[in-house]
Amino acid sequence: MRKLTVCGGGNAAHVIIALAANAGWDVDVFTPLEDEVERLQAGIRQRGGIIARTPERDIVGRPRRISGQPQDVIPGSELILISLPAFAHGPTLRAIADYLDPGVTVGTLPARSGFDYQARSLMDTARLSPVIFGLQTLPWACRIVEYGQVVEILGTKARVDFAVAPVEARARVVAQLDFIAGVDFVAVASLLTLTIANTGQLIHPGIMYGLCQGREADCFDAGHTPLFYQGVDDFTAGILQAMSDEVQAVCAALAEILPDFDPAEIATLYDWLLHSYPTSIENSATLRDAFVSNRAYAGLKVPVRCQESGMYRVDFKARYLAEDVPYGLVVLRGIAELAHVPTPTIDQVITWAQTQLGRSYLENGRLCGADVAETRAPQAFGIQDFHQLA
Ligand code: NAI
């Protein structure tokens, strides 16, 4: 039987366990968090498997083994699926690397940016000749209802872009993802393309900066938490537009120097919004209108944290900065630096965000701060020449 190992024990891991085991894969689970091993085992004993609840039906799948020890579950895996917050990709790859079989496929969903640089640096690629792939986004919106027992699939995306290295293995990856029904997997040229096309790295830090800079100390009661997407004002829309323009400039430069790079694969932010939300944007006159009138974004708020006083403050350690800056915008900035393209607005956003995160990435206009090594910028992996990017 085909065997896959899921790394992680969160929302997405629950869905993968249920769907893949139901489709006939032998599914093992690796999670280094000991309490998750016990809670998953207990939940599965209770129900006989994990139930993925969709609006139409329940899909039940039972994993074979769950362990916090990689040697128990990684050997013999044809497919490794990493579905974790990006900060956990590195430690997970480090833990499993010695137990991987030659020819293994290692994929991440979602990839965020620069996953391939990190994966290659942590795996013995000469021994393994691995296939590495990434999905641009998680195919589902999903939430655990009862840990180890029930996960709810709130929605499944119709289309998910993905990239594979080497490209010859694309068909094999699509076949390996056959347990994910109803999703059109669309290949983009490379993991570099996937990285540059990651719009979350513009939208999340860009809106956080636009809405929150200068208001870092503001407090509000629960009913007055600012809206995130619907809060986009002219200033914030200007920041997002300028960031998108800078990405297009990076693409034009890369197309000159990397023959396989196709800039047409990277949409502007405005075009991306319109094609991602074809039916839920009511007014697409401007970039700002497209954000504030998008019904799919309605009601979503700025991430906040409750203070001892009972009042709320913006949570600058939330994923919109903590994930989308070191594993997103900083990676893009590193690529721009190698392509010699100035990115003044992206720099402005990173400079503000690194202060909120208590980190140093950009120093005097160069990506040489003390914390670059913890990011996935190419420079963190010794890549100093754009030819090594592809
Ligand atoms: P989650 O927050 O449920 O995953 C948490 C899991 O990460 C934990 O259960 C644990 O297994 C693992 N983990 C946490 N800290 C760790 C550490 N230090 N070392 C190793 N493992 C650790 O995440 P979820 O919801 O499953 O999402 C996975 C990814 O998909 C995230 O990047 C998320 O932003 C993204 N995503 C999730 C969506 C959703 O609807 N759940 C929708 C779109 C994207």
Side-chain angles (χ1 to χ4, degrees):
M1 198 182 271
R2 300 193 297 169
K3 165 171 148 58
L4 76 79
T5 298
V6 181
C7 296
N11 302 298
H14 277 61
V15 174
I16 294 167
I17 293 167
L19 268 50
N22 183 273
W25 283 83
D26 258 349
V27 178
D28 286 349
V29 182
F30 168 62
T31 168
L33 309 185
E34 277 308 319
D35 74 307
E36 289 196 337
V37 173
E38 285 163 24
R39 289 164 67 215
L40 272 172
Q41 285 167 340
I44 287 155
R45 270 196 304 276
Q46 189 99 2
R47 298 260 191 175
I50 289 184
I51 301 170
R53 188 153 284 162
T54 74
E56 297 80 34
R57 64 192 181 109
D58 284 356
I59 301 163
V60 188
R62 186 185 180 95
R64 194 175 58 161
R65 275 176 307 204
I66 300 161
S67 178
Q69 304 302 321
Q71 62 272 27
D72 294 345
V73 286
I74 300 298
S77 305
E78 166 191 331
L79 175 61
I80 304 285
L81 291 178
I82 299 174
S83 196
L84 297 168
F87 72 83
H89 291 173
T92 300
L93 283 165
R94 215 168 276 120
I96 68 175
D98 286 347
Y99 305 101
L100 295 167
D101 285 9
V104 66
T105 301
V106 178
T108 180
L109 46 165
R112 304 300 181 202
S113 295
F115 174 72
D116 45 329
Y117 310 137
Q118 185 175 45
R120 286 205 188 88
S121 80
L122 294 174
M123 290 194 287
D124 180 351
T125 50
R127 175 179 77 85
L128 298 171
S129 300
V131 171
I132 298 172
F133 80 89
L135 304 191
Q136 187 65 275
T137 178
L138 193 68
W140 319 277
C142 52
R143 294 288 173 269
I144 293 169
V145 180
E146 281 176 89
Y147 196 87
Q149 302 185 40
V150 182
V151 61
E152 187 174 9
I153 299 181
L154 304 158
T156 301
K157 300 193 175 86
R159 168 190 164 144
V160 174
D161 289 355
F162 77 111
V164 182
V167 288
E168 296 74 31
R170 270 183 198 157
R172 168 173 148 188
V173 168
V174 172
Q176 287 172 322
L177 296 178
D178 61 358
F179 64 91
I180 305 177
V183 175
D184 186 15
F185 289 106
V186 177
V188 299
S190 64
L191 283 139
L192 175 64
T193 300
L194 203 72
T195 286
I196 298 175
N198 170 6
T199 48
Q201 66 198 353
L202 306 185
I203 295 172
H204 300 146
I207 297 182
M208 288 290 281
Y209 174 73
L211 298 186
C212 304
Q213 55 85 32
R215 303 181 52 195
E216 292 82 357
D218 282 10
C219 285
F220 26 80
D221 59 44
H224 290 91
T225 302
L227 289 163
F228 192 70
Y229 300 100
Q230 288 168 297
V232 169
D233 52 15
D234 286 335
F235 173 75
T236 306
I239 293 289
L240 293 168
Q241 184 61 54
M243 292 169 87
S244 175
D245 292 344
E246 288 170 10
V247 171
Q248 292 298 314
V250 171
C251 291
L254 289 175
E256 296 276 315
I257 52 189
L258 300 174
D260 294 335
F261 183 81
D262 179 4
E265 286 194 300
I266 317 287
T268 64
L269 201 46
Y270 179 75
D271 288 347
W272 175 85
L273 262 182
L274 262 49
H275 92 231
S276 301
Y277 297 98
T279 56
S280 54
I281 292 174
E282 283 170 13
N283 174 6
S284 58
T286 65
L287 183 62
R288 180 189 171 197
D289 294 330
F291 271 106
V292 300
S293 74
N294 184 351
R295 284 191 303 273
Y297 288 153
L300 296 172
K301 305 228 167 119
V302 170
V304 290
R305 197 174 274 244
C306 190
Q307 308 296 297
E308 273 178 23
S309 62
M311 298 290 278
Y312 288 80
R313 267 194 181 171
V314 173
D315 182 4
F316 294 106
K317 302 288 191 294
R319 285 184 190 174
Y320 285 168
L321 294 186
E323 183 147 298
D324 285 301
V325 174
Y327 311 108
L329 201 54
V330 167
V331 185
L332 186 61
R333 175 57 173 74
I335 292 167
E337 191 164 309
L338 295 181
H340 304 292
V341 177
T343 53
T345 311
I346 289 174
D347 289 11
Q348 196 179 331
V349 174
I350 293 176
T351 302
W352 173 81
Q354 67 186 8
T355 304
Q356 309 314 316
L357 291 167
R359 293 288 192 275
S360 168
Y361 306 129
L362 272 180
E363 286 292 328
N364 303 318
R366 292 207 55 232
L367 207 53
C368 60
D371 299 305
V372 170
E374 70 174 22
T375 75
R376 291 208 300 228
Q379 288 81 353
F381 305 100
I383 298 174
Q384 297 295 347
D385 182 281
F386 57 77
H387 287 110
Q388 297 169 274
L389 286 173

